């Protein structure tokens, strides 16, 4: 006949010696205790942790103990469900033998797997962000790809803007045309222009240059003077301009 109480006491002593810092007895009747299981830390020092609570049943180890996750750290709900399913599987495979050490070891390995998965997810997220940043940079550098749809939309907007500019320019020209005087009107309204031209011709005569007349448009007479440096000096009512003589007829 199996002495269940003796087997349970012997296992309890062994478990306490294996996990002295993480083993805590909660009660003696029934025997209940917790063991805190911690994963190995990754390169960034991150880890996950689960505190398992076990309770012996009368016929343990021929019947599995009761268990639950007493507390946890950095674990998702799905991780907790996976751990409980793992405990169930391991208990069924080890019926008839004391199994607390086996169960805790399986959970330890599971926590290390979870840490590795977390590391892989973080690296994947990092790569994804880098790829998105590269794509955004490419789009900014290359600009928008031209399609028939966006070209027609741009063309319609452009033509509308140009039409508005033409209307505005035409309106400004019409307003300016109402107040602008022709060359003939300027001479008829301002007799000082006659005397200024006479003085200008006298100055030219003193310089002993060559005088040449040319007509531009209908209203403006421009006087060309070739000076001793062979440059054309052009005068009108708005100022003096110097051109290369090769550019003029």
């Amino acid at each position: 006949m199996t002495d269940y109480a003796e087997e349970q006491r012997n296992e309890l002593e062994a478990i306490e010696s294996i996990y002295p810092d993480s083993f805590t007895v909660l009660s003696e009747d029934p025997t209940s205790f917790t063991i805190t299981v911690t994963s190995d830390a990754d390169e960034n020092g991150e880890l996950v942790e689960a505190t398992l609570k076990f309770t012996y049943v009368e016929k343990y180890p021929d019947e599995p103990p009761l268990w639950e996750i007493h507390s946890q750290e950095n674990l998702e709900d799905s991780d907790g469900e996976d751990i409980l399913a793992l405990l169930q599987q391991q208990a069924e495979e080890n019926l008839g033998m004391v199994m607390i050490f086996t169960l805790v070891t399986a959970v330890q390995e599971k926590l290390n797997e979870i840490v590795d998965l977390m590391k892989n997810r973080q690296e994947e997220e990092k790569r994804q962000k880098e790829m998105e940043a590269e794509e955004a940079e490419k789009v900014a550098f290359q600009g928008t790809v031209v399609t028939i749809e966006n070209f027609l939309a741009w063309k319609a907007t452009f033509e509308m803007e140009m039409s508005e500019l033409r209307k505005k320019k035409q309106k400004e020209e019409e307003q300016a045309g109402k107040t602008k005087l022709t060359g003939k009107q300027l001479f008829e309204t301002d007799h000082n222009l006659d005397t200024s031209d006479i003085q200008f011709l006298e100055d030219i005569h003193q310089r002993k240059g060559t005088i040449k007349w040319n007509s531009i448009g209908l209203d403006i007479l421009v006087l060309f003077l070739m000076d001793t440096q062979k440059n054309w000096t052009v005068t009108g009512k708005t100022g003096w301009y110097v051109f290369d003589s090769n550019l003029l007829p």
Side-chain angles (χ1 to χ4, degrees):
M1 183 176 178
T2 303
D3 187 347
Y4 296 116
E6 180 68 21
E7 287 196 40
Q8 293 172 14
R9 281 194 300 271
N10 292 337
E11 183 184 42
L12 206 59
E13 290 176 2
I15 292 297
E16 186 175 7
S17 65
I18 296 172
Y19 305 105
D21 298 327
S22 59
F23 173 80
T24 303
V25 176
L26 301 178
S27 66
E28 294 182 356
D29 188 17
T31 301
S32 179
F33 54 91
T34 61
I35 300 176
T36 299
V37 188
T38 306
S39 71
D40 297 332
D42 65 7
E43 58 187 17
N44 296 322
E46 296 184 2
L47 48 80
V48 294
E49 184 178 281
T51 298
L52 306 176
K53 178 183 177 181
F54 296 99
T55 302
Y56 286 150
V57 297
E58 182 180 357
K59 294 183 179 182
Y60 172 82
D62 287 340
E63 294 179 2
L66 303 177
W67 59 74
E68 63 181 86
I69 298 178
H70 191 64
S71 64
Q72 63 186 44
E73 183 177 344
N74 295 332
L75 288 175
E76 302 289 341
D77 292 340
S78 59
D79 295 329
E81 294 173 359
D82 291 342
I83 291 173
L84 293 176
L86 176 63
L87 289 170
Q88 181 65 40
Q89 175 191 346
Q90 291 294 316
E92 292 175 356
E93 294 176 358
N94 290 276
L95 282 178
M97 299 179 291
V98 290
M99 63 181 74
I100 298 302
F101 177 77
T102 301
L103 298 181
V104 172
T105 300
V107 172
Q108 173 84 51
E109 293 175 353
K110 182 64 176 179
L111 294 182
N112 288 335
E113 291 178 5
I114 293 173
V115 169
D116 290 339
L117 290 174
M118 290 173 57
K119 178 182 177 181
N120 292 337
R121 283 197 298 265
Q122 291 172 354
E123 290 178 350
E124 181 61 28
E125 290 174 357
K126 182 180 179 181
R127 283 194 296 267
Q128 187 65 29
K129 289 180 180 179
E130 290 175 350
M131 290 176 59
E132 292 175 355
E134 290 177 1
E135 285 297 321
E137 186 176 354
K138 287 180 181 179
V139 170
F141 179 76
Q142 295 176 352
T144 304
V145 177
V146 177
T147 63
I148 295 177
E149 291 77 10
N150 61 25
F151 172 75
L152 292 177
W154 170 85
K155 183 173 180 292
T157 303
F158 176 76
E159 290 177 347
M160 184 180 299
E161 292 175 351
M162 293 302 296
S163 177
E164 292 296 326
L165 289 174
R166 283 193 294 268
K167 291 179 181 178
K168 181 178 179 181
K169 183 177 180 181
Q170 182 178 0
K171 184 176 180 181
E172 291 175 350
E173 291 177 349
E174 290 176 352
Q175 292 177 348
K178 294 178 179 179
T179 57
K180 183 179 179 180
L181 297 178
T182 65
K184 181 179 179 181
Q185 290 173 330
L186 285 172
F187 278 98
E188 291 176 347
T189 55
D190 188 356
H191 295 289
N192 291 327
L193 296 176
D194 297 335
T195 58
S196 64
D197 287 344
I198 294 173
Q199 181 63 44
F200 173 68
L201 293 174
E202 291 176 352
D203 293 339
I204 292 174
H205 180 70
Q206 293 176 0
R207 292 180 60 182
K208 299 180 180 180
T210 302
I211 300 174
K212 188 176 183 180
W213 291 89
N214 188 16
S215 174
I216 297 179
L218 299 176
D219 302 318
I220 302 175
L221 292 177
V222 181
L223 182 66
F224 296 92
L225 171 68
M226 184 189 296
D227 60 18
T228 57
Q229 284 75 35
K230 304 299 181 181
N231 290 326
W232 287 101
T233 302
V234 184
T235 183
K237 297 305 177 182
T238 58
W240 289 83
Y241 304 87
V242 178
F243 299 88
D244 189 329
S245 60
N246 295 324
L247 300 178
L248 296 176

